[in-house]
Amino acid sequence: MTPQCTRILSILKTGQSVTQRSALIDLGIASLPRRIADLRDHYGLSIKKEMQYNTLTGQKFMRYWLGS
């Protein structure tokens, strides 16, 4: 498993969710959707996603979490 996938998975296993912004700022990962695809495709993980909106700016963003 790549170091970036390992960092993402450790966050998801604690029950937290990850967004593109949190991945970039907290984990140093610029391509979160690609790493999520890696975790799904290569490791068979069930990772859920939901489109959300920032209430202040109206910008859309995707939130990912570990499904059951």
Side-chain angles (χ1 to χ4, degrees), residues 35-61:
R35 299 294 76 81
I36 294 294
D38 290 345
L39 288 169
R40 286 179 175 149
D41 296 343
H42 299 299
Y43 306 106
L45 295 173
S46 174
I47 299 175
K48 307 291 185 186
K49 67 179 181 179
E50 180 181 36
M51 180 68 67
Q52 296 186 333
Y53 296 89
N54 183 309
T55 55
L56 296 175
T57 65
Q59 289 181 315
K60 299 186 289 187
F61 64 95

Side-chain angles (χ1 to χ4, degrees), residues 6-45:
T6 302
R7 289 197 301 266
I8 294 167
L9 187 56
S10 68
I11 297 293
L12 296 177
K13 281 185 173 180
T14 65
Q16 298 178 40
S17 61
V18 178
T19 65
Q20 181 68 41
R21 183 175 188 273
S22 67
L24 183 59
I25 293 171
D26 300 334
L27 305 173
I29 299 170
S31 182
L32 179 63
R34 180 67 249 167
R35 299 294 76 81
I36 294 294
D38 290 345
L39 288 169
R40 286 179 175 149
D41 296 343
H42 299 299
Y43 306 106
L45 295 173

